Amino acid sequence: QSPAVLSLDERITTTLVGAGRPMHFPELRTQCRARTTTLYERLAALTKTGHIVKSLEGYCTIKP
């Protein structure tokens, strides 16, 4: 069986949770293997909906 393909939003959140620290865009782009424009769009959407936060330190997930 082939592994399930994760959506870009899932890859972003999984990467951020796994890192356990804020990540800057270039590092996220490499880890998520996404096009620049697409990643910017998805990060903006996830930030707008409150799933992630952008700070000076980088992007991170919301802590419960």
Side-chain angles (χ1 to χ4, degrees):
Q1 292 180 343
S2 61
V5 177
L6 297 177
S7 71
L8 181 53
D9 289 4
E10 291 170 323
R11 290 195 318 250
I12 292 167
T13 55
T14 300
T15 300
L16 290 172
V17 168
R21 60 175 174 75
M23 295 178 73
H24 290 285
F25 183 87
E27 186 178 14
L28 265 173
R29 184 175 178 273
T30 300
Q31 293 291 319
C32 293
R33 291 185 261 174
R35 292 179 56 226
T36 299
T37 303
T38 305
L39 185 57
Y40 271 125
E41 290 171 355
R42 297 316 312 145
L43 288 171
L46 289 168
T47 301
K48 184 177 182 179
T49 59
H51 288 90
I52 63 173
V53 173
K54 181 181 180 185
S55 69
L56 293 176
E57 291 82 30
Y59 292 93
C60 62
T61 55
I62 303 289
K63 300 227 184 332

